[in-house]
Amino acid sequence: RGGKKVVAKDGVICNAPVWLLNGLVKNEKARSILKNDLLPNQKRNARQTWETTSSTYNSIRYDRPNFEFEDDDDSLLAKCDTSEQTGSFLHLHMALDATGLDLDSLEAHYTVMDRGLSGDSSSQQEDNDDGPCGELNMIAVSNPCVLDRSLAPKGYIVVHAYGAGNEPYHVWEGMDRNSKEYKTLKEERSQVLWRAVEAVIPDARSRVVHDMVGSPLTHARFLRRPRGTYGSATEDYLKDGSTPIQNLVLCGDGVFPGIGVPSVALSGASAANALVGVLEQWKTLDDLKAKELI
């Protein structure tokens, strides 16, 4: 930022999405080590989980698109560039007036199937491939105040409903976030999230104090996720964070064990351990124990 350079003496841990690595490595020697002859602003196209169909709902590819590496192109950057991108998210965050609501009768988390496990069976089109993993069918509803009342002011609760990895990016691609069309689309596509919340709290809309809808464009902008993706498909995880460049280690949801906070935290810990010797790790653990932090 601002042209400032930070020189790493011991090593670099990169937790950027794997598709961004190509553009981050600009040093010619480093790119040579990574066996990449593309310019930093060039990239190979990533595989996509979602495909557009003519049916009511877009569908997940069950036959993964193939990508054959050239004999001299089986490089780390090639694997990162072409790693399959799973779908994006649609979010509904809300603050609700909890007056008269029996929180003790509610669960902290729900999974709501909007169209049932079989999906929309009413469609007669041949390319209808709906199901449990279909577009915005499986909706998660998080109700964390059941576990911790301090997460909201007294008399209120926060609720989060979302479709995880089952919202296609191309539905939103190219839209102006300040346009009326964008706001209208958010309103239309978030109705499935409202239905999921109402399946748990029937009068949720009348209790709303504040609500916000987050789209794949929100994911792409604030979380710097290419095409708003949830992360790499399982089949394309890098087996570990090692690279041909000494002391450059990768971590994040494109590295095994993959997507999700626990998995990403584990890959981060593994990356940190890769740059720290065993004796130094023991010393750090002893210091933490002495401070009663563990």
Side-chain angles (χ1 to χ4, degrees):
R1 180 176 296 180
K4 182 179 179 180
K5 291 185 178 181
V6 178
V7 179
K9 297 180 179 179
D10 299 318
V12 173
I13 295 176
C14 177
N15 72 337
V18 293
W19 306 276
L20 300 184
L21 184 62
N22 199 333
L24 294 174
V25 181
K26 295 181 172 64
N27 180 275
E28 289 185 10
K29 183 178 180 181
R31 295 182 71 80
S32 176
I33 294 173
L34 293 174
K35 299 179 181 180
N36 187 51
D37 57 0
L38 295 180
L39 296 175
N41 62 346
Q42 294 178 312
K43 63 179 182 179
R44 306 162 185 84
N45 292 324
R47 300 179 177 96
Q48 298 297 319
T49 291
W50 287 92
E51 63 182 353
T52 306
T53 66
S54 60
S55 63
T56 306
Y57 304 101
N58 296 288
S59 63
I60 292 178
R61 292 179 187 269
Y62 289 99
D63 294 325
R64 301 181 71 238
N66 293 321
F67 183 93
E68 297 295 336
F69 291 112
E70 300 287 344
D71 291 341
D72 60 346
D73 198 27
D74 190 11
S75 65
L76 173 66
L77 290 184
K79 292 177 181 176
C80 289
D81 284 349
T82 60
S83 179
E84 182 180 335
Q85 292 177 351
T86 56
S88 190
F89 278 74
L90 192 65
H91 295 272
L92 173 61
H93 293 274
M94 60 180 68
L96 302 180
D97 185 335
T99 301
L101 196 62
D102 182 8
L103 286 183
D104 292 329
S105 67
L106 299 176
E107 301 293 339
H109 190 86
Y110 295 87
T111 298
V112 180
M113 305 301 298
D114 186 64
R115 302 186 296 279
L117 285 172
S118 300
D120 184 2
S121 59
S122 64
S123 176
Q124 302 300 314
Q125 291 173 292
E126 292 182 2
D127 61 355
N128 180 44
D129 212 6
D130 199 16
C133 297
E135 178 181 342
L136 290 179
N137 188 13
M138 184 183 296
I139 305 300
V141 178
S142 178
N143 183 26
C145 288
V146 169
L147 302 177
D148 185 353
R149 301 290 202 272
S150 69
L151 294 176
K154 187 176 181 179
Y156 299 89
I157 61 173
V158 289
V159 176
H160 176 206
Y162 57 96
N166 59 11
E167 173 70 331
Y169 181 81
H170 65 259
V171 175
W172 304 82
E173 192 166 9
M175 296 196 77
D176 179 356
R177 294 185 305 102
N178 295 315
S179 67
K180 180 180 178 181
E181 290 76 14
Y182 177 64
K183 293 178 174 60
T184 299
L185 188 61
K186 285 206 297 185
E187 177 68 21
E188 291 174 352
R189 292 191 70 81
S190 66
Q191 292 307 305
V192 60
L193 305 181
W194 282 103
R195 289 196 296 271
V197 174
E198 289 171 325
V200 178
I201 305 173
D203 60 348
R205 292 185 194 243
S206 65
R207 294 178 176 274
V208 171
V209 177
H210 185 65
D211 65 276
M212 296 184 297
V213 175
S215 76
L217 299 186
T218 311
H219 257 244
R221 181 189 182 200
F222 290 100
L223 301 180
R224 298 185 179 182
R225 306 296 298 177
R227 299 181 65 82
T229 182
Y230 188 11
S232 294
T234 305
E235 297 89 342
D236 285 344
Y237 291 160
L238 299 176
K239 63 183 179 62
D240 55 48
S242 62
T243 73
I245 298 177
Q246 186 176 6
N247 291 342
L248 170 60
V249 184
L250 308 182
C251 66
D253 54 26
V255 181
F256 181 84
I259 291 174
V261 173
S263 298
V264 169
L266 183 57
S267 75
S270 297
N273 289 339
L275 295 181
V276 179
V278 175
L279 293 179
E280 190 171 352
Q281 291 183 40
W282 281 350
K283 182 180 181 302
T284 301
L285 290 172
D286 289 340
D287 290 343
L288 291 173
K289 288 180 180 178
K291 296 176 182 178
E292 297 184 348
L293 296 176
I294 59 174

